[in-house]
Amino acid sequence: MSTAIIKVKDLVKKYGDFTAVKGISFEVKEGEIFGLLGPNGAGKTTTLEIIETLRDKTSGEVWVDGMNLDKDPQAIKTIIGVQLQAAGYYPNLNLKQIIALFSGLYNREVDPMKLLETVNLTEKAKSKFKELSGGQKQRFSIATTLINDPKIIFLDEPTTGLDPQARRNLWDLIKQVRERGATVVLTTHYMDEAEELCERVAIVDSGQIISLDTPNALIDKLVATGFQRKKELKAASLEDVFLNMTGKEWRDE
Ligand code: ATP
């Protein structure tokens, strides 16, 4: 559990005169769910895309599963899964056909129906991507990251825009992916999500890591400074009401 599967050292990314990533260093341990948190424009996506071999860095070094990004980008591509944006899918193919196509490209034997079952989408096998709801689209895009049985999966804001149940469904799915042995690196703006899913989080601000620890340790550090949350008077929140009224279990939205 303590082996580093990703190592980032002094990573810098400049866009012209603007430095988006200012010499960050961190490690992701094998088998963990690691979160990159930070305000809009902090440099999270840039950092992820560099590690994913999709964007050039300005300087610094990156190793993925022992392979150096500068020397072995092709080999790195074969062991990672990256959640694609919606635009990446072929509009005229249905879900089953897209998975079949991807497995051909990856040269993998994958049973499309079995994979769709893992993300609870067997009933949509004959549907096109554009016909899916937001949560179904997110689940499908996570399914496509699993086709090459990757060691590491990268998810950039996987639950943005989803309703409370769909978010919880996605959380279950992400935990299952990790239980299958993969390491997960994700970005999120939802702190409840980071707290629920991530073993460790790095807080990124203006291109720098300002804190890196377990959610629990970060909370304890803040509490130790004397910080107190505004007292909550009620035993439930509006989200609890919503979940209670519309059903907590897996549902097909
Ligand atoms: P968000 O939470 O909004 O997704 P982020 O932390 O993922 O933000 P990035 O997308 O990495 O942030 O962007 C970091 C900074 O780099 C931003 O100021 C952004 O405007 C800038 N940036 C990103 N891509 C480019 C580009 N191709 N050319 C110029 N500047 C860019």
Side-chain angles (χ1 to χ4, degrees), residues 23 30 45 47-48 86 94 104 138 140-141 143 145 148 158 170 176 191 195 210 213 215-216 224 230 241 243:
E30 189 161 13
T45 302
T47 302
L48 279 196
N94 67 37
Q138 297 282 57
F140 181 70
S141 69
T145 70
N148 62 334
L170 253 289
Q176 280 167 29
M191 296 305 124
E195 217 177 320
I210 54 173
D213 215 326
N216 238 335
K230 211 173 71 187
V241 173
L243 287 169

Side-chain angles (χ1 to χ4, degrees), residues 15 18 20 38-46 55 157 189:
Y15 295 110
F18 175 70
N40 292 137
K44 305 177 297 292
T45 302
T46 300
R55 200 177 278 268
E157 297 187 30
H189 289 296

Side-chain angles (χ1 to χ4, degrees), residues 66-125:
M67 297 178 280
N68 189 289
L69 180 71
D70 297 317
K71 295 189 188 121
D72 292 316
Q74 291 309 323
I76 290 175
K77 281 192 177 91
T78 66
I79 62 142
I80 64 172
V82 177
Q83 197 181 4
L84 281 181
Q85 298 303 318
Y89 297 115
Y90 299 81
N92 295 321
L93 301 183
N94 67 37
L95 303 191
K96 207 174 148 190
Q97 291 167 328
I98 296 172
I99 292 175
L101 177 75
F102 274 39
S103 31
L105 294 175
Y106 283 126
N107 209 6
R108 298 269 176 164
E109 292 272 334
V110 173
D111 177 347
M113 291 312 288
K114 228 172 155 181
L115 189 59
L116 287 173
E117 199 186 321
T118 49
V119 292
N120 207 21
L121 280 176
T122 39
E123 279 166 28
K124 297 285 173 183

Side-chain angles (χ1 to χ4, degrees), residues 13-61:
K13 175 66 182 179
K14 293 186 181 181
Y15 295 110
D17 290 342
F18 175 70
T19 308
V21 177
K22 298 174 181 160
I24 63 172
S25 301
F26 64 96
E27 293 186 353
V28 176
K29 295 176 191 170
E30 189 161 13
E32 76 176 337
I33 302 181
F34 185 88
L36 282 176
L37 313 180
N40 292 137
K44 305 177 297 292
T45 302
T46 300
T47 302
L48 279 196
E49 289 184 351
I50 290 169
I51 303 170
E52 293 162 359
T53 77
L54 300 176
R55 200 177 278 268
D56 289 335
K57 59 184 165 58
T58 303
S59 63
E61 290 204 81

Side-chain angles (χ1 to χ4, degrees), residues 171-172 175 191-198 215:
W171 293 353
D172 288 344
K175 286 179 193 165
M191 296 305 124
D192 59 339
E193 178 164 302
E195 217 177 320
E196 168 81 22
L197 289 179
C198 298

